[in-house]
Amino acid sequence: MKLTAEQIQDNWNKFLSIIDVHISEPRRSNLKAFYEQYAERIMLMPASHKKEYHNALPCGYVDHVLRVVLCAFKLNEVWVDMGVDTSTYTFEELVFATLNHDLGKIGDEQNESYIPQTDQWRKEKLGEDYKFNDRLAYTSVPDRSLFLLNQHGIQYTQNEMLAIKLHDGLYDDANKSYLMSWSPETKPRTALVYIVHQADLMASRIEFEQVWMPKFKGEVTYSNSPNFTIEKNKKAPVKTKALSNIKSEGLKSLLDNI
């Protein structure tokens, strides 16, 4: 699966448009300023480091996040139809949490999180096209996501904090105290955390199937980027970003592989 330059640019425009349409001021401006500051890195980074995982390809991160947002829109409709208490979260909280659930994967202000793997054996035998940047101090992805938002003055609600923190569900043992409680008083008081987790799980599974199911059948892999309208009859302003003037050596290497 490879994304064309046109798909990469279109995905980025959609990403910024979601912020324009669904995130209210004053944090809309802060959030857009943050993403535009790191646009080069975010546009080109993968969603994971290993082929067996989801969207481990150049520019896979934005493609993944868009798919999670779309899945969340669809799943939210199902939850509403089935009678979820919609007074416990807002649609903006749903959008904000899905947009930023994996933000910590970008790294910190100085360092990218994923850099090209230089060990040929690990690339060929383990499917690791990328490796973790050891210049980064270790934090979990959700914790770094929340730290980056806080560091750049982007406020978030308690619902959004919990949805970002718990988006990996019970795949992360650290979430057990929140999600495996048998006491009604300590269970999550909003379905938002489950909707965001399910959206991420669904998107990751779809991305896995796009790469691996055709291989299992001896076919060529296919690409099906998320395709949806941000809001009917409303065009949000977008900012184009050239892909040719890349400063980071790591990102240049990623771009060369597109």
Side-chain angles (χ1 to χ4, degrees), residues 182-196:
W182 312 119
S183 170
E185 292 80 11
T186 56
K187 288 180 181 292
R189 300 197 177 189
T190 174
L192 180 66
V193 298
Y194 301 104
I195 299 172
V196 172

Side-chain angles (χ1 to χ4, degrees), residues 19-257:
I19 298 175
D20 282 321
V21 172
H22 294 294
I23 305 299
S24 60
E25 292 291 2
R27 65 177 180 171
R28 177 196 301 150
S29 296
N30 290 340
L31 193 60
K32 282 198 70 176
F34 170 81
Y35 276 109
E36 288 171 348
Q37 179 180 351
Y38 296 102
E40 180 181 285
R41 186 192 303 184
I42 296 170
M43 287 176 74
L44 298 177
M45 62 181 278
S48 57
H49 78 289
K50 195 172 182 178
K51 289 178 180 177
E52 285 76 4
Y53 301 158
H54 61 281
N55 266 26
L57 71 153
C59 311
Y61 176 83
V62 174
D63 182 78
H64 169 68
V65 172
L66 288 176
R67 188 170 287 102
V68 174
V69 173
L70 178 57
C71 289
F73 287 178
K74 300 291 187 181
L75 287 168
N76 185 61
E77 293 176 359
V78 174
W79 279 76
V80 170
D81 288 345
M82 296 305 296
V84 71
D85 183 356
T86 56
S87 70
T88 65
Y89 65 96
T90 68
F91 194 76
E92 179 171 340
E93 287 177 326
L94 176 68
V95 175
F96 185 92
T98 50
L99 272 178
N100 298 295
H101 77 282
D102 268 348
L103 180 60
K105 290 182 177 181
I106 77 166
D108 61 21
E109 292 187 335
Q110 289 78 37
N111 302 291
E112 302 149 27
S113 180
Y114 297 129
I115 57 177
Q117 176 61 265
T118 55
D119 187 325
Q120 194 63 29
W121 184 89
R122 297 189 70 88
K123 288 184 68 173
E124 294 178 357
K125 302 301 182 182
L126 302 180
E128 296 180 0
D129 286 338
Y130 310 96
K131 63 180 179 179
F132 294 108
N133 189 347
D134 59 14
R135 293 183 180 180
L136 280 172
Y138 172 77
T139 66
S140 69
V141 169
D143 286 347
R144 185 180 287 123
S145 299
L146 295 169
F147 175 77
L148 286 170
L149 292 170
N150 184 63
Q151 191 177 35
H152 288 83
I154 302 166
Q155 295 185 340
Y156 45 82
T157 67
Q158 179 172 277
N159 278 351
E160 291 163 347
M161 176 196 74
L162 289 172
I164 292 171
K165 181 176 178 63
L166 305 176
H167 79 266
D168 283 325
L170 290 174
Y171 288 96
D172 186 342
D173 286 344
N175 297 338
K176 285 184 176 181
S177 62
Y178 288 92
L179 301 177
M180 290 187 67
S181 170
W182 312 119
S183 170
E185 292 80 11
T186 56
K187 288 180 181 292
R189 300 197 177 189
T190 174
L192 180 66
V193 298
Y194 301 104
I195 299 172
V196 172
H197 168 55
Q198 290 174 357
D200 185 40
L201 183 65
M202 179 185 290
S204 299
R205 174 64 194 187
I206 291 168
E207 290 155 10
F208 170 82
E209 289 190 358
Q210 287 182 350
V211 174
W212 287 97
M213 297 307 287
K215 289 182 178 180
F216 296 152
K217 299 175 183 177
E219 301 169 355
V220 178
T221 58
Y222 70 96
S223 172
N224 185 17
S225 294
N227 183 22
F228 60 98
T229 303
I230 304 303
E231 185 175 272
K232 189 175 182 180
N233 297 327
K234 180 170 182 178
K235 293 184 178 180
V238 296
K239 179 179 180 181
T240 57
K241 175 74 177 179
L243 296 173
S244 57
N245 187 24
I246 305 300
K247 301 175 182 178
S248 163
E249 290 300 321
L251 293 178
K252 284 180 182 178
S253 178
L254 295 182
L255 187 59
D256 288 341
N257 290 320

